[in-house]
């Protein structure tokens, strides 16, 4: 009972906030709706017993990716009238993608009607009593080790690529030399003078 | 508590669970609000004492009611919403800050078995919830539609995201050592860490003491306490992201900020200094209830926070970023390798 209520609540909010993401006029509002959608998707994950994935979804997408989105969107100077005129240009692609998604949903529904996936014949059946994190770890670090490492390398390459693209030598700037700042002592920087009465300090 | 409502009062199980959870939430949130009021008073008193002032001393005996007077004053003021502000988000931002500061307390264990939600991803839940804290600040800065709050919000977001990375790695090394994400089990894993002198607390292990210190400093940066309070540096940014706020929306920021500070003190105590365990694993010390030990540790760390606030000058922003990315991140990453290496080494010859 409570599971059903929770499921319909989360699912309804996901769909609603997804719709609001694409229909709200202010891009910052869009990002906020997107965050709400992520959040409720995490709730759905908890309902199916994947609490680790749910937490990761919140940490990675809500905590990091969406913050960057928000950064970019807030800094942009957006001309709303121009945005609306460009809608027509992308309408064909949008409709195509929408149609593709609709077909996929229908295929999924038909496949579901044919019967469930045989869980016992999975590549790596896992004991249901093992906690999420352990189960994932056992799979990632044994059976799928090379794929896991490969995914890590892809991310590393992406990171290096981003640095290479944005890094440039800036001439004429003076960087902080922390070691020199720390090594600087008061007696090197200041001079104690006792001027005679009636005379100033000569610099 | 569920069994109490189920058997003693005679509610069906579902309702008993529901009522018990609501009661548990109130039992944590209401004393927490009281604690926030008193801890603001304590903060001001400690700060004043270190500056050789008297601090709040007019309202109530020793000025004890000062926070409540401030609360009442703020409550009676008018809520001003700037005409250029984005109304919805402007009002949403302090609510997010406040709520996020409260929800994390759900997984903090106060004593053996006394925790609202004893989930096995407790530490990840804390990371997830604290990563939400950025939104309250960044939204308040943007929706105020004003220069200084926006600068402050950008600073705050960059700062919190940077230090969350270091905190994440520090927590991973703790998790590796204790073998669980569950906070109660992390506390239990800290019982009697030395065979000869049975001290409770991970930080007494020389391997983890540097981590404990780094966590304390990162916690300061994460809660934007001095010396990392660049987001509300009054000489540069008026009052930072809360410049345009007034009345209750301002008070919610205030409450959320201090609730976060207490939370970080509680996490310090729980993750590194034995949580609700007494400092030494010695039977007579267990007579004192665990919650008292936890509160003593929280108060000690809060004193450290206030002490730092009263004595350390504010960091420069580039120094702050350097500390986060070039010092804490590599060191904590190295520590993850070190801890996992030592754990593997200890297991040589032992069945997995």
């Amino acid at each position: 009972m409570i599971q059903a209520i929770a499921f319909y609540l989360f699912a309804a909010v996901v769909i609603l906030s997804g719709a609001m993401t694409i229909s709200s006029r202010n891009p910052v509002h869009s990002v906020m709706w997107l965050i709400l959608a992520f959040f409720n998707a995490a709730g759905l994950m908890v309902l199916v017993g994947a609490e680790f994935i749910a937490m990761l979804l919140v940490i990675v997408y809500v905590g990091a990716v969406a913050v960057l989105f928000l950064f970019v969107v807030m800094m942009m100077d957006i001309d709303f009238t121009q945005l609306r005129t460009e809608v027509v240009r992308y309408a064909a692609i949008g409709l195509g993608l929408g149609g593709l998604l609709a077909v996929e949903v229908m295929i999924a529904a038909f496949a579901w009607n044919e019967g469930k996936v045989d869980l016992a014949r999975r590549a790596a059946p896992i004991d249901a009593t093992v906690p999420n994190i352990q189960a994932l770890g056992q799979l990632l670090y044994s059976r799928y080790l090379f794929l896991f490492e490969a995914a890590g390398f892809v991310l590393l390459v992406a990171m290096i690529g981003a640095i290479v693209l944005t890094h440039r030598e800036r001439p004429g700037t003076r960087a902080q030399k922390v070691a020199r700042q720390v090594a600087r002592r008061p007696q090197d920087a200041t001079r104690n003078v006792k001027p005679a009465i009636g005379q100033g300090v000569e610099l | 508590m569920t069994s109490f409502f189920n058997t003693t009062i005679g509610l069906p199980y579902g309702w008993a669970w529901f009522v018990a959870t609501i009661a548990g939430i109130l039992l944590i949130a209401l004393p927490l609000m009281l604690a926030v009021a008193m801890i603001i008073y304590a903060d001001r008193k400690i700060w004043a004492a270190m500056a050789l002032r008297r601090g709040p001393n007019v309202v109530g005996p020793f000025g004890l009611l000062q926070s409540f007077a401030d609360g009442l004053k703020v409550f009676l003021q008018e809520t001003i919403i700037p005409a250029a502000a984005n109304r919805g988000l402007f009002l949403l931002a302090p609510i997010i800050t406040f709520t996020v500061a409260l929800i994390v307390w759900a997984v903090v264990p106060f004593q053996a078995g006394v925790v609202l939600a004893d989930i096995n991803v407790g530490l990840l839940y804390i990371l997830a919830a604290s990563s939400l804290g950025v939104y309250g600040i960044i939204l308040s800065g943007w929706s105020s539609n004003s220069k200084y709050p926006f600068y402050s919000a950008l600073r705050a977001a960059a700062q919190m995201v940077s230090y969350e990375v270091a905190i994440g790695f520090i927590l991973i090394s703790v998790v590796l050592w204790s073998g669980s994400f569950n906070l109660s089990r992390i506390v239990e894993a800290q019982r009697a860490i030395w065979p000869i002198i049975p001290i409770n607390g991970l930080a007494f292990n020389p391997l983890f003491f540097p981590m404990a210190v780094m966590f304390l400093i990162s916690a300061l940066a994460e809660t934007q306490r001095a010396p990392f309070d660049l987001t509300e540096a009054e000489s540069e940014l008026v009052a930072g992201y809360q410049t345009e706020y007034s009345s209750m929306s301002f008070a919610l920021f205030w409450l959320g900020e201090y609730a976060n500070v207490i939370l970080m003190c509680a996490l310090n105590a729980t993750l590194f200094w034995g949580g609700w365990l007494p400092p030494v694993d010695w039977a007579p010390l267990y007579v004192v209830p665990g919650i008292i030990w936890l509160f003593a540790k929280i108060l000690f760390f809060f004193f450290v926070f206030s002490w730092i606030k009263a004595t350390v000058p504010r960091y420069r922003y580039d120094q702050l970023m350097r500390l986060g990315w070039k010092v804490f991140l590599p060191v904590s990453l190295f520590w993850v390798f070190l801890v996992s290496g030592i754990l593997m080494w200890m297991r040589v010859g032992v069945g997995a």
Side-chain angles (χ1 to χ4, degrees), chain A residues 43-113:
Chain A
L44 288 176
M45 301 269 188
V46 171
L47 282 186
V48 297
E51 69 271 6
F52 180 65
I53 306 285
M55 291 300 150
L56 278 197
L57 186 73
V58 175
I59 292 173
V60 174
Y61 283 91
V62 179
V65 175
V67 172
L68 294 182
F69 274 10
L70 211 54
F71 252 57
V72 173
V73 167
M74 280 177 178
M75 308 277 237
M76 277 194 310
D77 186 22
I78 302 159
D79 186 2
F80 290 103
T81 50
Q82 200 204 343
L83 266 184
R84 248 163 261 151
T85 54
E86 283 189 354
V87 166
V88 185
R89 261 179 63 198
Y90 296 109
I93 302 172
L95 281 177
L97 280 176
L100 187 68
L101 277 178
V103 170
E104 276 182 350
V105 167
M106 274 190 269
I107 290 175
F110 285 135
W112 179 260
N113 275 340

Side-chain angles (χ1 to χ4, degrees), chain A residues 26 28-29 32 35 39 51-52 55-56 58-59 61-63 66-67 70-71 74-75 131 133 176 178 181, chain B residues 86 89 96 120-121 124-125 127-128 131-132 134-135 138-139 142 150 154 157-158 161 181 316 318-319 322:
Chain A
N26 191 328
V28 175
H29 290 184
M32 293 315 293
I35 290 164
F39 218 68
E51 69 271 6
F52 180 65
M55 291 300 150
L56 278 197
V58 175
I59 292 173
Y61 283 91
V62 179
V67 172
L70 211 54
F71 252 57
M74 280 177 178
M75 308 277 237
I133 303 171
Q176 304 275 347
V178 177
Q181 290 176 1
Chain B
N86 192 317
L89 292 182
I96 292 178
N120 62 3
V121 286
L124 284 176
Y125 174 81
L127 270 180
S131 66
L132 290 179
V134 183
Y135 285 107
I138 197 170
L139 279 183
W142 180 79
F150 190 53
L154 292 184
V161 170
F181 276 97
R316 221 168 50 208
D318 64 304
Q319 290 174 329
R322 180 179 170 272

Side-chain angles (χ1 to χ4, degrees), chain B:
Chain B
M1 214 190 295
T2 310
S3 66
F4 169 76
F5 282 109
N6 196 356
T7 53
T8 318
I9 308 225
L11 287 168
Y13 182 79
W15 281 107
W17 177 84
F18 182 73
V19 174
T21 309
I22 298 284
I25 291 171
L26 290 179
L27 213 58
I28 293 174
L30 295 182
L32 184 66
M33 287 298 96
L34 193 66
V36 166
M38 292 326 288
I39 216 106
I40 292 174
Y41 166 77
D43 195 24
R44 293 175 66 178
K45 270 291 191 194
I46 293 167
W47 199 8
M50 292 200 187
L52 297 179
R53 291 181 285 117
R54 291 180 69 195
N57 60 354
V58 175
V59 189
F62 307 107
L64 272 170
L65 299 177
Q66 182 65 48
S67 297
F68 299 101
D70 287 346
L72 190 67
K73 181 196 78 178
V74 152
F75 189 67
L76 294 174
Q77 278 172 341
E78 181 195 354
T79 307
I80 300 167
I81 301 173
N86 192 317
R87 207 183 159 84
L89 292 182
F90 186 81
L91 292 176
L92 188 66
I95 297 173
I96 292 178
T97 305
F98 182 70
T99 316
V100 164
L102 287 189
I103 58 171
V104 187
W105 284 90
V107 294
V108 175
F110 293 100
Q111 206 169 335
V114 182
V115 51
L116 183 62
D118 197 20
I119 53 177
N120 62 3
V121 286
L123 211 49
L124 284 176
Y125 174 81
I126 288 176
L127 270 180
S130 70
S131 66
L132 290 179
V134 183
Y135 285 107
I137 291 170
I138 197 170
L139 279 183
S140 67
W142 180 79
S143 64
S144 298
N145 207 347
S146 163
K147 271 198 229 62
Y148 296 123
F150 190 53
Y151 284 143
S152 161
L154 292 184
R155 277 187 184 185
Q159 176 178 340
M160 288 173 84
V161 170
S162 310
Y163 278 85
E164 241 155 48
V165 180
I167 285 184
F169 280 123
I170 293 169
L171 295 188
I172 288 293
S173 60
V174 173
V175 166
L176 281 173
W177 192 263
S178 45
S180 175
F181 276 97
N182 184 313
L183 282 172
S184 306
R185 273 201 236 143
I186 290 175
V187 172
E188 276 304 326
Q190 299 179 37
R191 193 186 285 272
I193 56 159
W194 292 114
I196 306 159
I197 320 160
I199 297 177
N200 296 329
L202 201 56
F204 293 109
N205 183 338
L207 183 64
F208 279 99
F209 184 71
M211 289 290 102
V213 174
M214 277 173 55
F215 186 77
L216 182 73
I217 298 172
S218 302
L220 283 173
E222 187 72 11
T223 51
Q224 289 141 25
R225 289 280 292 189
F228 305 117
D229 57 346
L230 286 132
T231 53
E232 29 198 281
E234 64 279 344
S235 51
E236 307 158 25
L237 296 176
V238 194
Y241 55 89
Q242 34 190 308
T243 305
E244 303 288 345
Y245 282 87
S246 60
S247 180
M248 274 317 278
S249 50
F250 176 76
L252 284 182
F253 271 125
W254 199 238
L255 291 172
E257 202 180 307
Y258 273 89
N260 257 331
V261 170
I262 305 178
L263 175 78
M264 279 299 171
C265 296
L267 282 186
N268 256 306
T270 307
L271 294 174
F272 288 102
W273 301 93
W276 34 260
L277 297 170
V280 181
D281 194 28
W282 182 48
L285 287 179
Y286 283 99
V287 175
V288 180
I291 194 163
I292 305 266
W293 287 116
L294 181 67
F295 281 171
K297 287 168 187 176
I298 291 175
L299 288 180
F300 173 75
F301 281 109
F302 187 76
F303 176 73
V304 173
F305 271 44
S306 294
W307 186 7
I308 292 170
K309 180 179 177 176
T311 48
V312 182
R314 189 176 286 142
Y315 252 52
R316 221 168 50 208
Y317 199 73
D318 64 304
Q319 290 174 329
L320 174 82
M321 283 293 142
R322 180 179 170 272
L323 186 69
W325 288 107
K326 293 189 181 171
V327 181
F328 279 9
L329 178 63
V331 171
S332 55
L333 189 57
F334 173 72
W335 233 262
V336 173
F337 280 99
L338 190 69
V339 168
S340 39
I342 287 175
L343 282 173
M344 290 305 283
W345 175 67
M346 280 162 63
R347 271 203 213 153
V348 170
V350 183

